[in-house]
Amino acid sequence: MGGAMSTALGTALGIGVSKAAGAASRVMSEAFKSGFDRITTLEKADIQFRNMGLSAGQTKKQLGDLNDIVTGTSTSLSDAAQAAAMLGGAGVAAGDDMNNAVKALVNISSASGASAKDIGLVMMQIKASGRLLGSEALQLAQRGVPIYDLISKSMGKTTAEIRKMGEEGKISFE
């Protein structure tokens, strides 16, 4: 009887160790994949910044600025770099303009709970068209961003006035 119990216990321990090793392997694999994805995204951002005409030094500074912006927030440097590259492709200049756009993106993302990637995509669409259109306002609203309310507060106008301005294409990216 004692032999059967020790065999069963040994088997159970073996299964437990095997499952634990499998779980550890999956965790390590995911960690490596996440790290690789982050490096790939930062390399893509580096290439996109250089395609915008930034030198190696300017690119390094822009990535440093992005790191400073996202430190202490829920937005990763990788997501900020990806969004910045999209915004740059749509015409946002590196430096202060880019930093201000990414700060707005990070704030909107944090307040709404939407991902920085999603907000960055909508902001890129707004910049590319030059103005806030109803389709982008709807996309932001679907992500929990009351864009007309936010703009009305910053401009000192009513939400109805801002909606009308939006319908007329009078709300620029800036």
Side-chain angles (χ1 to χ4, degrees), residues 132 140 146-159 162 165 171-172:
L132 176 67
L140 290 169
I147 192 65
Y148 290 132
D149 292 340
L150 295 171
I151 294 171
S152 72
K153 288 177 186 170
S154 73
M155 294 181 73
K157 296 182 179 283
T158 68
T159 302
I162 296 300
M165 287 176 65
I171 302 173
S172 72

Side-chain angles (χ1 to χ4, degrees), residues 74-159:
S74 60
T75 302
S76 71
L77 175 58
S78 176
D79 287 349
Q82 185 176 19
M86 284 191 297
L87 291 167
V92 176
D96 289 342
D97 289 345
M98 180 73 66
N99 293 341
N100 290 334
V102 173
K103 284 175 189 174
L105 178 148
V106 168
N107 290 337
I108 291 168
S109 175
S110 294
S112 69
S115 77
K117 289 179 188 177
D118 285 348
I119 300 299
L121 178 62
V122 177
M123 287 180 70
M124 184 265 312
Q125 292 168 345
I126 296 167
K127 178 60 180 172
S129 70
R131 60 188 184 270
L132 176 67
L133 300 173
S135 58
E136 286 88 12
L138 178 61
Q139 288 180 58
L140 290 169
Q142 289 169 335
R143 288 164 174 81
V145 180
I147 192 65
Y148 290 132
D149 292 340
L150 295 171
I151 294 171
S152 72
K153 288 177 186 170
S154 73
M155 294 181 73
K157 296 182 179 283
T158 68
T159 302

Side-chain angles (χ1 to χ4, degrees), residues 46 49 52-65 94-95:
D46 181 79
F49 288 150
M52 289 170 47
L54 272 63
S55 68
Q58 290 169 317
T59 296
K60 183 177 179 181
K61 179 175 181 349
Q62 186 64 65
L63 287 171
D65 289 347

